[in-house]
Every structure is written in structure tokens, then in C-alpha cells.
């Protein structure tokens, strides 16, 4: 329940600062988590980005002001973060289907994008099974890319990266070295300022003789919440992530420990099979 309360407080903070310089890291601080993880959690819960939500709320309030007052368009544009009337008019027209000047005409129908509210939904249709695991620090070896959550580029670049390494035989070359966790997809080295992170495809490091092109990264000792995502990878993994953020964190009192996140895949098997199991490992702390 504490997670839900913090999310509600972050929405209150947004509403109170729509006409100010509203930085994502300040919103995240209200919710007591990092900017990166707040943005991911926000997307998992709402299906939209934090930036898009703030933009739509600002344009909703701006439209209300234009329709009910004699404010100048340029003043409203500057108040809600637009440097020019042209940029404001373009964004305004895209949301409302009319120009800011037209919004001042009586009888015009404006769109209202409502503020969010959060609550725990008791679904009851399916249990969410997990286990808590302790694991000492270990090293992984593999190949990495840097990607970003901006415009959800990570959702495009990571699958392309997997396809590339599968096609060129790199993942197959790792197979003899794979430990009990199998293949790993690891999100780590989060850069809060640039909204970037490193994504590594690899296995646990079990040898000093690295396959060609491998890098080595350390995963720190952590307490982990481990979830089974059962079914074809594309659907099962995304659905499990969404339930973790929308149900599990709110119901258990655990919080994200801001460390690397792991997805583990068996080295053999059909990733599109109905009984395929992908494990999601999330570093946690109890609050």
C-alpha cells in the first residue's frame, strides 16, 4: 500500500507544478525511487510515458485557461513550457484538434486528459507465485549495447540485438559455458542523467578463456525476487513485468533495490512454446 501512496503523491506533485520546470528526477524523488525505475514503473502501470502524461495534462489545463479567461496565447504557451507560440500551437492542435485561438471560441469541444489515480486492483483470477533468493556477487560474460528508455528505443533495440547475436552464432558459442541460469539478458549500469542503460546478453562467467568479443560485468550480491514467466517469450515476459509493477510491489511491501535486473532463458527449448519458462530476477529491499 505504501507504493500506491507514493505514486499518488507523485501525481499530486505533478499537478502542483504543471506550470513550473518539472523534472522527471524530482517526480521520482517524491515516489522514493530512481528516475529510471520510476519511468519504467509508470509505463508498466499506465501504458504511457511520464513525459507524455505531463504534456497532455499541461495541454488540458492550458485549454481550460484559454476557454475561460482572456489570457494571451503566448502567455499560456510560456507558462506551460513552450518556448514559442508555434510549438505550443502544434502540440495543442495535435491533442485538441484545433488551434489555441479556436479553443477560445464559445461552444468548442475540448479534450480533457484526466489526472491519474492509483489503487490496488484485486483481480483474484490468478495467483502470482514467486520466490526470494539470496545470491552472492558473480560475473557475467557476453556482449553489450547501450540503449535508452526515451521513446521506448530499448523495446526496439534489444530484440534486434538478440536477433543479431542469434544469427551470427554468438549465443550458440556461449552455450558450452552456460551455468544453471542459462542465457542471461541483463539491464544494468543505469545512467539517470541520460536515461540510458547497458544491456548485456551472456552467461555466468565460468572460465578465464573468454569467447571472442566478450566483455565481463559484475553482478553484486543481492536479495532477489524471482518470477516464472510461462509461455511464448514475447507475451509472457511483458505480461509478467506488468503484473510485478501493478500488483506485486504494491501488495508485498518490497521495493526495487536499483540494481541490475536479469531475465534468464534455458539454453535449449522453444522460446515460443506454451510451456517455455523465462525467469525474471529483480533485486529487492524490504521496507
Amino acid at each position: 500500500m505504501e507504493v500506491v501512496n507514493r505514486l499518488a503523491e507523485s501525481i499530486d506533485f505533478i499537478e502542483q507544478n504543471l506550470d513550473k520546470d518539472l523534472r522527471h528526477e524530482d517526480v521520482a524523488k517524491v515516489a522514493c525511487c530512481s528516475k529510471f525505475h520510476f519511468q519504467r514503473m509508470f509505463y508498466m502501470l499506465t501504458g504511457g510515458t511520464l513525459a507524455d502524461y505531463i504534456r497532455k495534462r499541461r495541454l488540458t489545463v492550458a485549454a481550460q485557461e484559454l476557454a475561460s479567461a482572456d489570457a494571451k496565447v503566448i502567455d499560456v504557451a510560456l507558462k506551460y513550457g513552450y518556448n514559442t507560440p508555434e510549438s505550443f500551437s502544434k502540440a495543442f492542435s495535435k491533442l485538441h484538434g484545433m488551434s489555441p485561438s479556436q479553443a477560445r471560441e464559445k461552444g468548442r469541444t475540448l479534450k480533457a486528459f484526466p489526472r491519474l489515480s492509483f489503487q490496488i486492483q484485486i483481480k483474484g483470477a490468478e495467483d502470482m507465485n514467486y520466490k526470494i533468493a539470496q545470491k552472492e556477487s558473480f560475473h557475467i560474460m557476453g556482449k553489450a549495447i547501450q540503449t535508452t528508455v526515451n521513446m521506448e528505443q530499448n523495446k526496439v533495440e534489444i530484440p534486434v540485438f538478440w536477433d543479431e547475436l542469434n544469427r551470427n552464432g554468438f549465443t550458440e558459442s556461449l552455450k558450452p559455458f552456460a551455468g544453471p541460469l542459462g542465457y542471461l539478458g541483463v539491464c544494468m549500469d543505469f545512467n539517470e542523467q541520460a536515461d540510458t542503460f547497458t544491456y548485456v546478453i551472456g552467461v555466468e562467467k565460468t572460465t578465464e578463456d573468454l569467447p571472442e568479443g566478450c566483455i565481463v560485468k559484475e553482478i553484486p550480491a543481492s536479495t532477489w525476487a524471482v518470477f516464472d514467466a510461462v509461455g511464448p517469450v514475447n507475451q509472457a515476459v511483458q505480461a509478467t513485468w506488468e503484473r510485478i509493477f501493478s500488483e506485486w510491489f504494491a501488495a508485498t511491501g518490497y521495493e526495487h533495490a536499483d540494481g541490475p535486473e536479469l531475465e534468464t532463458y534455458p539454453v535449449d527449448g522453444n522460446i515460443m512454446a506454451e510451456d517455455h519458462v523465462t525467469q525474471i530476477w529483480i533485486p529487492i529491499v524490504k521496507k
Side-chain angles (χ1 to χ4, degrees):
M1 195 64 182
E2 185 177 358
V3 174
V4 177
N5 291 336
R6 288 177 180 175
L7 286 169
E9 290 171 2
S10 71
I11 297 300
D12 289 340
F13 180 79
I14 290 172
E15 290 296 312
Q16 296 162 7
N17 292 278
L18 288 173
D19 58 349
K20 299 180 179 65
D21 181 18
L22 192 55
R23 302 187 307 165
H24 290 188
E25 50 264 46
D26 293 332
V27 179
K29 189 180 296 183
V30 173
C32 300
C33 63
S34 71
K35 181 176 73 168
F36 178 85
H37 289 297
F38 182 83
Q39 289 180 127
R40 289 183 69 242
M41 179 168 57
F42 188 92
Y43 181 82
M44 292 290 185
L45 291 171
T46 69
T49 66
L50 177 60
D52 194 47
Y53 174 75
I54 293 173
R55 178 182 63 82
K56 288 179 178 178
R57 284 298 299 147
R58 281 174 164 164
L59 290 171
T60 293
V61 176
Q64 294 168 355
E65 290 191 12
L66 289 171
S68 61
D70 294 328
K72 295 180 181 179
V73 172
I74 181 61
D75 292 337
V76 175
L78 292 173
K79 180 177 180 179
Y80 291 105
Y82 292 87
N83 294 325
T84 66
E86 291 77 18
S87 62
F88 176 66
S89 181
K90 183 178 179 180
F92 191 95
S93 298
K94 186 176 181 180
L95 180 65
H96 294 286
M98 67 186 76
S99 69
S101 297
Q102 290 172 324
R104 306 180 69 168
E105 300 172 4
K106 291 185 178 181
R108 287 284 186 172
T109 301
L110 299 169
K111 291 184 179 180
F113 188 81
R115 63 171 288 168
L116 287 172
S117 62
F118 292 99
Q119 60 184 359
I120 298 177
Q121 295 185 356
I122 307 301
K123 299 185 178 180
E126 184 180 353
D127 291 335
M128 192 166 196
N129 296 322
Y130 67 96
K131 64 181 180 181
I132 302 298
Q134 304 286 339
K135 190 172 176 61
E136 294 301 318
S137 64
F138 64 101
H139 290 84
I140 60 173
M141 60 183 188
K143 288 192 175 182
I145 59 169
Q146 189 177 71
T147 186
T148 177
V149 295
N150 288 332
M151 305 299 289
E152 299 187 83
Q153 281 183 237
N154 56 308
K155 291 191 174 182
V156 175
E157 294 175 345
I158 289 175
V160 169
F161 189 41
W162 273 104
D163 288 342
E164 176 189 342
L165 297 193
N166 287 334
R167 284 198 313 269
N168 67 22
F170 180 77
T171 50
E172 186 67 21
S173 74
L174 292 178
K175 190 173 181 179
F177 307 102
L181 293 180
Y183 291 126
L184 300 172
V186 183
C187 298
M188 62 188 308
D189 298 341
F190 306 110
N191 185 322
E192 295 292 324
Q193 300 304 314
D195 291 336
T196 61
F197 64 96
T198 299
Y199 184 80
V200 182
I201 294 175
V203 295
E204 287 187 74
K205 183 177 180 294
T206 58
T207 177
E208 295 302 319
D209 299 322
L210 300 182
E212 184 178 356
C214 273
I215 63 167
V216 175
K217 290 280 191 177
E218 182 179 5
I219 307 298
S222 298
T223 300
W224 304 86
V226 184
F227 304 84
D228 287 347
V230 182
V233 167
N234 292 344
Q235 294 86 19
V237 171
Q238 181 64 23
T240 303
W241 274 112
E242 289 175 358
R243 292 194 67 198
I244 290 168
F245 280 99
S246 64
E247 300 175 42
W248 188 82
F249 274 121
T252 61
Y254 285 105
E255 294 187 355
H256 201 295
D258 289 342
E261 299 169 344
L262 317 177
E263 290 177 1
T264 74
Y265 309 89
V267 294
D268 293 306
N270 178 8
I271 64 171
M272 301 309 294
E274 293 297 326
D275 61 351
H276 182 271
V277 178
T278 303
Q279 283 195 331
I280 297 173
W281 290 56
I282 301 178
I284 56 170
V285 292
K286 185 71 174 179
K287 292 294 186 182

